[in-house]
Amino acid sequence: MFSDACISVTRILIMAIAVFVSGTGTNLQAMIDDADIDIEVVITNRNAKFVSALRRCESAGISWISYLNDMKNLEKYTTEIFEERNVKLIVLAGFMKLLSPAYVERWKDKIINIHPSLLPSFKGAHAIEQAFKYGVKYTGVTVHYVDEGMDTGSIIAQQTVKITKRDTVETLEKKIHKVEHKLYPKVIKDLLK
Ligand code: GRF
């Protein structure tokens, strides 16, 4: 007499992300340091020599591609690579270029960005300094989906940062980055669940 055999197959689902950077890459480092985040590839639009984020990739053995000032090819080839490698989420971390409406549409709800203010206040490249100069008592960090606009997509998560009388732009910047480095990996993992 034979009993039914039950074979259980465990599938390991790897949820890979791609990260777009243009500069220092401290947020990228926070992702590299998180054992539960799998970075497939890092993309930059700048000359690789000047993107210190790429040195972090080299230390961590992560491949990177530079499409120097070539957004058209960046969008074309990343779409091919991401489809082929089953990339689930495109994470912008200090990426200083707007993506085209067609690309944003192709990857709708799959591209996220982190911004160092409580959006919709202080959009753009100088958010920390502007919030400080404006004299707001609270600023913070926003993670949002990317749409065709600049820092305009729908908000996924926000965290406040208090500005005290003792703060300078530099100390505020440090406080904001500390929050970013915890919040961004957490949001990425939540979205991949
Ligand atoms: C971060 O402050 C992020 O909010 C903004 O660009 C900065 C990137 O810093 N979008 P880093 O390159 O991750 O150090």
Side-chain angles (χ1 to χ4, degrees):
M1 190 155 161
F2 296 98
S3 62
D4 288 336
C6 178
I7 302 168
S8 143
V9 178
T10 309
R11 271 187 76 211
I12 301 168
L13 290 176
I14 298 172
M15 299 290 210
I17 65 167
V19 186
F20 284 28
V21 295
S22 300
T24 321
T26 60
N27 280 283
L28 170 68
Q29 189 65 51
M31 295 170 221
I32 292 172
D33 292 341
D34 192 315
D36 296 323
I37 295 180
D38 177 27
I39 303 170
E40 178 68 36
V41 62
V42 172
I43 312 287
T44 188
N45 61 315
R46 294 187 58 213
N47 186 329
K49 263 198 292 192
F50 305 116
V51 183
S52 41
L54 301 180
R55 307 295 84 78
R56 299 174 192 274
C57 294
E58 283 154 9
S59 303
I62 296 167
S63 45
W64 57 263
I65 309 172
S66 162
Y67 293 92
L68 183 55
N69 296 323
D70 187 355
M71 287 303 289
K72 207 169 156 211
N73 274 325
L74 183 152
E75 295 190 348
K76 182 172 183 285
Y77 290 116
T78 54
T79 293
E80 284 171 19
I81 294 165
F82 297 166
E83 282 170 351
E84 187 189 300
R85 300 193 192 174
N86 207 16
V87 165
K88 293 285 181 239
L89 195 63
I90 299 165
V91 176
L92 310 190
F95 186 67
M96 303 304 282
K97 271 273 178 195
L98 274 186
L99 298 163
S100 76
Y103 193 77
V104 168
E105 182 56 32
R106 164 62 188 86
W107 296 100
K108 194 170 165 47
D109 296 336
K110 297 273 183 280
I111 313 177
I112 62 171
N113 182 42
I114 190 160
H115 184 76
S117 77
L118 294 175
L119 290 173
S121 296
F122 307 113
K123 296 182 179 120
H126 305 288
I128 299 175
E129 203 181 343
Q130 283 171 1
F132 185 82
K133 285 194 175 148
Y134 201 92
V136 293
K137 303 300 173 209
Y138 290 89
T139 183
V141 173
T142 303
V143 180
H144 63 94
Y145 286 109
V146 170
D147 64 12
E148 322 74 63
M150 189 178 58
D151 305 325
T152 50
S154 64
I155 291 169
I156 304 166
Q158 283 187 312
Q159 197 168 321
T160 53
V161 172
K162 189 172 166 44
I163 303 179
T164 68
K165 283 191 183 132
R166 267 176 285 156
D167 272 320
T168 59
V169 177
E170 289 73 30
T171 61
L172 179 59
E173 202 163 41
K174 277 194 187 138
K175 278 160 55 169
I176 286 190
H177 283 146
K178 203 168 163 195
V179 169
E180 288 186 334
H181 300 159
K182 284 226 162 87
L183 184 66
Y184 216 10
K186 183 181 177 306
V187 170
I188 291 165
K189 288 185 287 184
D190 284 349
L191 290 174
L192 291 174
K193 268 181 198 159

